[in-house]
Amino acid sequence: MSAETEGDFKKYISKVVSNGFTTLAVGLGSRLGLFDVMASMDEPMTSQEIADAANLKERYVIEWLGAMVTAKIVDTNSSSEKFIIPKHRHGSLVSAGLLARAVTVLPTTQDDVINCFRKDGPNGISHDKLVHHYEWLSSFKKNEYDNTKMQTLVRQVTGLENLLETGVEVCDIGCNTGYHLNILAKLYPRSHFVGVDINTDAITEAQKENHSGNATFEIQDAYNLPSDWSEKFTYAYVSKTIHDLAYPEKALKEIYRILRPGGILSLIEVNVHSKAGDNMAMPAAQSTYVFSLYHCVPSVLDYPGGKALGACWGREAAAAMLNELGFSKVQVFDIPNQPKEVHITGHKPHSQ
């Protein structure tokens, strides 16, 4: 039993709730570009100067600065009433700001989520109500990986980099705007990459951003990929998509079909365990459970019989599903310098 007292918990929960208010202001500052403006400053500036640089009203900027100063994110000198963010904080605020934006977006469906909780309420939330969620997800994914991180993933799988350097067919299922695929295409110009997504807007954006001669993007349904793709691909890449599918086994069976014998599947998922009690020390668990509650679960339960794995379905459940569907050599890799994600791989056996 815990030795925690009522007073201990009161202090703890008060801090948790207070930090929630701060997170709202951090997300707001990120969306408004205020952190970018302040990162460009070499010297402390007044609230009016910051507002002018961001093309915003000073009165609102004053209140935001108050929140940031008391949260110890922005520094100030009371006598001069000027503000600055020390340079060593800039990098952390970029990533933290992107994550905090989710907190400003999720409440747009608060009433819908409440209704879904009720026994007589709807099962889920339709995709048209989640448009702001998807916009945030796209912006967040763009900043997750760079060349080094993608190369690290590839090198975790024995022999994969050699295959990509030689030249093979690769498919990214649920590619969104194609950011990850475009990195791979530039790193391995002898291979050919196909990105697929059901989202028309995402594919349109991916095609606009595609400057690689060895990458193409298509609108495709993960449950019903082209029949002539059977055993076409040597490598399939799926980043945080499976848990958002209503029928994940059906999609994975399609991926299995389009892989050549010996082909490799990479699943990138949130780095959590399948049981909540095992996630106390997992850095991504707390925020991911909340995002999953507002987005992943209700978006899937809107479909009849939707599986609703949730974003925290966990590394154990993901590995078990690959094994159950016939993948071999299933492995789970921690990703260096990326503690909030996990890399799960499987192979399609040579003999069927």
Side-chain angles (χ1 to χ4, degrees), residues 64-336:
W64 178 81
L65 285 168
M68 293 297 94
V69 167
T70 53
K72 300 179 181 179
I73 294 169
V74 171
D75 287 352
T76 187
N77 183 323
S78 297
S79 61
S80 65
E81 294 188 345
K82 291 186 176 182
F83 306 86
I84 194 166
I85 298 176
K87 291 191 181 299
H88 69 272
R89 297 178 188 170
H90 292 173
S92 297
L93 279 172
V94 172
S95 55
L98 282 170
L99 182 59
R101 289 188 194 189
V103 180
T104 69
V105 169
L106 294 181
T108 60
T109 56
Q110 175 95 307
D111 290 342
D112 296 290
V113 173
I114 289 172
N115 288 334
C116 288
F117 264 86
R118 304 192 190 284
K119 286 190 175 182
D120 60 351
N123 288 328
I125 301 174
S126 62
H127 281 248
D128 62 299
K129 290 186 176 182
L130 300 170
V131 60
H132 295 303
H133 295 194
Y134 291 115
E135 289 171 354
W136 173 81
L137 279 168
S138 292
S139 65
F140 190 72
K141 276 192 170 186
K142 283 183 179 180
N143 291 274
E144 285 180 310
Y145 283 88
D146 55 22
N147 288 10
T148 301
K149 290 177 182 177
M150 291 301 295
Q151 213 160 30
T152 296
L153 292 177
V154 168
R155 289 173 178 171
Q156 287 185 314
V157 185
T158 302
L160 178 56
E161 186 163 53
N162 183 57
L163 288 169
L164 293 172
E165 287 176 340
T166 302
V168 294
E169 293 287 327
V170 178
C171 188
D172 180 350
I173 299 92
C175 68
N176 200 271
T177 56
Y179 186 75
H180 294 186
L181 189 71
N182 279 325
I183 294 175
L184 285 171
K186 291 173 183 176
L187 284 171
Y188 305 105
R190 291 184 179 179
S191 288
H192 179 251
F193 299 82
V194 180
V196 301
D197 204 292
I198 196 68
N199 187 317
T200 302
D201 291 338
I203 290 297
T204 299
E205 182 67 22
Q207 290 168 338
K208 288 179 181 177
E209 296 295 323
N210 179 21
H211 304 297
S212 303
N214 59 329
T216 57
F217 295 92
E218 302 182 18
I219 299 169
Q220 295 288 354
D221 184 347
Y223 306 130
N224 188 29
L225 296 170
S227 58
D228 60 353
W229 281 12
S230 293
E231 300 188 353
K232 176 178 179 177
F233 297 95
T234 298
Y235 181 48
Y237 177 84
V238 190
S239 179
K240 289 182 285 191
T241 295
I242 296 300
H243 68 255
D244 277 332
L245 297 178
Y247 316 110
E249 291 96 340
K250 186 175 181 180
L252 284 167
K253 287 177 182 177
E254 276 292 270
I255 294 170
Y256 188 95
R257 176 180 67 82
I258 68 172
L259 280 173
R260 295 175 180 270
I264 301 162
L265 167 64
S266 280
L267 290 186
I268 310 302
E269 282 292 341
V270 181
N271 187 20
V272 292
H273 295 290
S274 299
K275 294 181 179 179
D278 295 333
N279 285 325
M280 301 301 289
M282 304 302 279
Q286 186 179 12
S287 58
T288 304
Y289 274 118
V290 175
F291 187 83
S292 186
L293 174 62
Y294 275 79
H295 177 84
C296 305
V297 170
S299 69
V300 169
L301 287 179
D302 193 52
Y303 291 87
K307 185 95 173 187
L309 292 172
C312 289
W313 66 314
R315 48 200 291 161
E316 296 86 1
M321 186 177 287
L322 293 191
N323 278 310
E324 289 166 6
L325 293 174
F327 287 91
S328 65
K329 303 177 185 178
V330 175
Q331 292 181 278
V332 179
F333 298 98
D334 291 316
I335 305 172

